[in-house]
């Protein structure tokens, strides 16, 4: 296992006319579980290819345990990889597929048998050990592919490139839990690439959110949810994502912003030296908007209501902008009607203020 450091990484597939990665600097500690999260085309698979040695970066360095491996092969880096589509040997049995990477490294037969049986038991493959891989279903093959990556104990890191794509939703949940258990037991350095926020947030200790070849933020799932460093992170994380509304400073009151005809109190004053640096935006999560019985300055006109079983998603217009609320059935089992006007409050300790899409004034760290 190894600490992985990426220094000033950039990569172009067309000689610099465009960049798949730009100025990426990351440090991943030995034994951590990490996720690269972002939409298709954001650069996460390119970054994984550079970490694995399948790609040579146009610029920058890759270090494993302090050693520069930028130009080293995948084998020299001693990493295991699990791809989006399963890589298995159809003519071999499940047992031989799991044993193959260990036999290649000359491990004793008893040690190979021990590791194969342990991983097969963990992934519920034991009944399939004598079965040829060609007889497996698509999701069984992908689980076998996961097992081939996990069976080695001496790897510097295990890299996963959207490995659960072909697996049904319930099995995905079980496998994510299994991966967490395996990581807790063996402390491999795990890096997991996905476009699915649920996979990333439930798997990783820390998540790296990417867009257009750049890292927008890294942090724990809680940090990404409560204090998104960029409006895109706020929108991408959460269901629904964060509401982001244009706002303006209130002259002489640095701890208030104007939203339409109303003013909204902030938990902290805006810094004065940013007064004219660009447009301000106010961010608030749908679940943090409070509905008030008494009239307030913020009025939302309901335009749609969706029942999600345990909660309702209410969409409305506020100060000329679309806003979403998430209302739990336990709080209010009867949703407002379309056309109704709701008086709402934005709690100061739940607000984030952005300038040029970057976090300027966050909600306090200690906020509940």
């Amino acid at each position: 296992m190894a600490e992985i450091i990426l220094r000033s990484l950039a990569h172009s597939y067309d000689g610099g006319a465009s960049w798949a990665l730009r100025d990426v600097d990351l440090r991943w500690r030995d034994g951590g579980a990490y996720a690269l999260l972002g939409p298709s085309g954001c650069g996460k698979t390119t970054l994984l290819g550079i970490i694995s040695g399948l790609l040579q970066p146009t610029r920058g360095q890759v270090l494993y345990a302090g050693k520069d491996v930028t130009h080293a092969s995948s084998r020299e880096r001693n990493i295991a990889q699990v791809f989006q589509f399963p890589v298995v040997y159809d003519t071999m049995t499940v047992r031989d597929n799991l044993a193959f990477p260990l036999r290649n490294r000359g491990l004793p037969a008893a040690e190979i048998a021990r590791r194969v049986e342990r991983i097969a038991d963990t992934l519920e493959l034991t009944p399939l050990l004598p079965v040829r891989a060609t007889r497996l279903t698509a999701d069984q093959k992908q689980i076998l592919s996961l097992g081939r990556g996990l069976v080695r104990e001496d790897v510097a890191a295990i890299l996963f490139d959207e490995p659960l794509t072909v697996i049904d939703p319930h099995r995905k949940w079980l496998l994510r839990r299994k991966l967490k258990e395996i990581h807790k037991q063996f402390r491999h350095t795990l890096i997991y690439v996905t476009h699915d926020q649920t996979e990333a947030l439930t798997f990783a200790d820390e998540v790296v959110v990417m867009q257009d070849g750049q890292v927008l933020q890294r942090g724990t799932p809680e940090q990404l949810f409560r204090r998104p460093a960029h409006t895109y992170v706020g929108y991408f994380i959460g269901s629904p994502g964060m509401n982001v509304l244009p706002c303006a400073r209130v002259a002489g009151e640095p701890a208030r912003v104007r939203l339409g005809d109303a003013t909204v109190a902030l938990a902290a004053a805006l810094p004065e030296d940013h007064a004219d640096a660009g447009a301000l935006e106010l961010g608030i999560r749908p679940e943090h908007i409070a509905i008030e019985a008494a009239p307030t300055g913020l009025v939302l006109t309901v335009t749609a209501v969706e029942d999600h079983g345990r909660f309702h998603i209410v969409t409305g217009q506020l100060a000329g902008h679309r806003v979403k609320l998430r209302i739990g059935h336990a709080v209010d089992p009867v949703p407002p009607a379309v056309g109704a006007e709701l008086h709402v409050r934005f709690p100061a300790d739940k607000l984030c203020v952005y300038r040029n899409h970057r976090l300027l004034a966050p909600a306090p760290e200690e906020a509940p």
Side-chain angles (χ1 to χ4, degrees), residues 219-274:
T220 65
E222 182 182 8
Q223 288 168 339
L224 296 178
F225 183 81
R226 283 176 38 196
R227 297 166 63 89
H230 191 281
T231 55
Y232 182 82
V233 178
Y235 176 78
F236 198 73
I237 300 292
S239 182
M242 175 178 274
N243 297 293
V244 179
L245 308 170
C247 63
R249 296 174 67 94
V250 176
E253 297 187 59
R256 299 186 74 84
V257 293
R258 182 169 298 283
L259 190 62
D261 295 329
T263 62
V264 177
L266 306 176
L270 296 175
E272 293 292 341
D273 57 341
H274 288 276

Side-chain angles (χ1 to χ4, degrees), residues 11-311:
H11 190 69
S12 174
Y13 290 99
D14 55 15
S18 61
W19 293 90
L21 289 177
R22 294 177 286 169
D23 303 320
V24 173
D25 288 277
L26 289 170
R27 180 189 295 265
W28 286 315
R29 70 181 184 278
D30 181 12
Y34 303 95
L36 291 172
L37 175 65
S40 298
C42 73
K44 57 188 187 293
T45 297
T46 296
L47 184 56
L48 196 73
I50 291 173
I51 295 169
S52 71
L54 295 177
L55 283 175
Q56 299 294 312
T58 305
R59 295 199 304 261
Q61 286 181 297
V62 180
L63 292 89
Y64 277 38
K67 179 183 177 182
D68 189 339
V69 297
T70 308
H71 303 291
S73 68
S74 297
R75 185 176 182 84
E76 291 172 307
R77 299 182 193 198
N78 192 28
I79 55 95
Q81 298 181 79
V82 181
F83 297 98
Q84 180 175 356
F85 298 102
V87 178
V88 298
Y89 296 105
D90 280 342
T91 58
M92 291 184 182
T93 64
V94 169
R95 184 186 304 276
D96 287 336
N97 264 281
L98 292 174
F100 187 76
L102 304 178
R103 289 173 181 156
N104 276 353
R105 285 159 179 78
L107 269 68
E111 177 67 8
I112 292 173
R114 181 187 70 81
R115 294 192 191 180
V116 166
E117 288 168 9
R118 184 196 62 211
I119 291 298
D121 180 64
T122 299
L123 297 179
E124 300 178 2
L125 289 173
T126 301
L128 298 174
L129 284 173
V131 176
R132 289 188 181 274
T134 190
R135 295 174 54 192
L136 302 180
T137 63
D139 66 334
Q140 288 172 335
K141 286 185 177 181
Q142 187 62 307
I143 295 166
L144 175 56
S145 184
L146 282 171
R148 283 166 52 88
L150 295 167
V151 76
R152 292 169 53 193
E153 294 179 351
D154 63 336
V155 292
I158 304 176
L159 313 181
F160 301 91
D161 191 358
E162 307 216 33
L164 303 184
T165 300
V166 299
I167 297 175
D168 71 77
H170 178 66
R171 200 74 183 271
K172 280 185 182 183
W173 182 85
L174 293 174
L175 283 173
R176 285 199 301 269
R177 189 186 67 186
K178 289 289 187 183
L179 285 174
K180 292 285 284 186
E181 292 173 0
I182 291 169
H183 178 255
K184 185 176 181 180
Q185 182 178 358
F186 299 108
R187 304 309 298 180
H188 292 300
T189 302
L190 305 181
I191 302 175
Y192 189 107
V193 164
T194 182
H195 64 275
D196 185 325
Q197 63 164 299
T198 301
E199 285 189 14
L201 299 178
T202 56
F203 167 80
D205 301 326
E206 284 192 358
V207 179
V208 176
V209 182
M210 299 185 65
Q211 183 193 33
D212 296 335
Q214 293 182 301
V215 172
L216 297 183
Q217 186 176 1
R218 67 173 293 174
T220 65
E222 182 182 8
Q223 288 168 339
L224 296 178
F225 183 81
R226 283 176 38 196
R227 297 166 63 89
H230 191 281
T231 55
Y232 182 82
V233 178
Y235 176 78
F236 198 73
I237 300 292
S239 182
M242 175 178 274
N243 297 293
V244 179
L245 308 170
C247 63
R249 296 174 67 94
V250 176
E253 297 187 59
R256 299 186 74 84
V257 293
R258 182 169 298 283
L259 190 62
D261 295 329
T263 62
V264 177
L266 306 176
L270 296 175
E272 293 292 341
D273 57 341
H274 288 276
D276 298 311
L280 289 176
E281 294 173 297
L282 188 67
I284 185 166
R285 294 284 180 190
E287 44 270 84
H288 292 158
I289 298 176
I291 299 175
E292 301 286 275
T296 67
L298 296 176
V299 179
L300 180 141
T301 303
V302 177
T303 58
V305 178
E306 303 168 39
D307 191 342
H308 289 252
R310 293 183 297 108
F311 56 87

